[in-house]
Amino acid sequence: MTTHAFMVEAIKRATEHQSMRHSFIRDAIESRKSTIKTGKVIQLEDALERIRSQVASKKTLKVKQG
């Protein structure tokens, strides 16, 4: 790989990373606004149970909101 190609790839990766970071932050802000507006939350244990179930069986469980 040439030096130029290496630099181009590094810039591409940095740009993609920054874009993903901006999307993550934007989603987090919107989620926080929604939580404040609705007051709906998912308890940690319920969320962990859902994740474990999905990993084990690829099935989605309804999460209790409280």
Side-chain angles (χ1 to χ4, degrees):
M1 176 182 280
T2 66
T3 304
H4 181 263
F6 178 82
M7 289 174 31
V8 169
E9 184 64 27
I11 292 168
K12 178 183 173 190
R13 287 184 185 175
T15 302
E16 290 170 351
H17 181 263
Q18 190 66 19
S19 177
M20 289 182 350
R21 182 172 168 77
H22 281 277
S23 293
F24 177 80
I25 292 169
R26 184 180 58 245
D27 290 348
I29 291 168
E30 289 303 315
S31 292
R32 185 172 190 276
K33 286 178 183 177
S34 176
T35 300
I36 291 169
K37 182 179 178 181
T38 66
K40 292 182 181 180
V41 297
I42 299 172
Q43 297 300 313
L44 176 61
E45 285 304 317
D46 294 334
L48 292 174
E49 180 183 334
R50 180 179 179 174
I51 292 169
R52 288 183 190 116
S53 175
Q54 287 177 331
V55 168
S57 68
K58 303 290 183 188
K59 292 182 181 177
T60 303
L61 298 177
K62 277 194 167 183
V63 176
K64 300 175 208 167
Q65 294 185 358

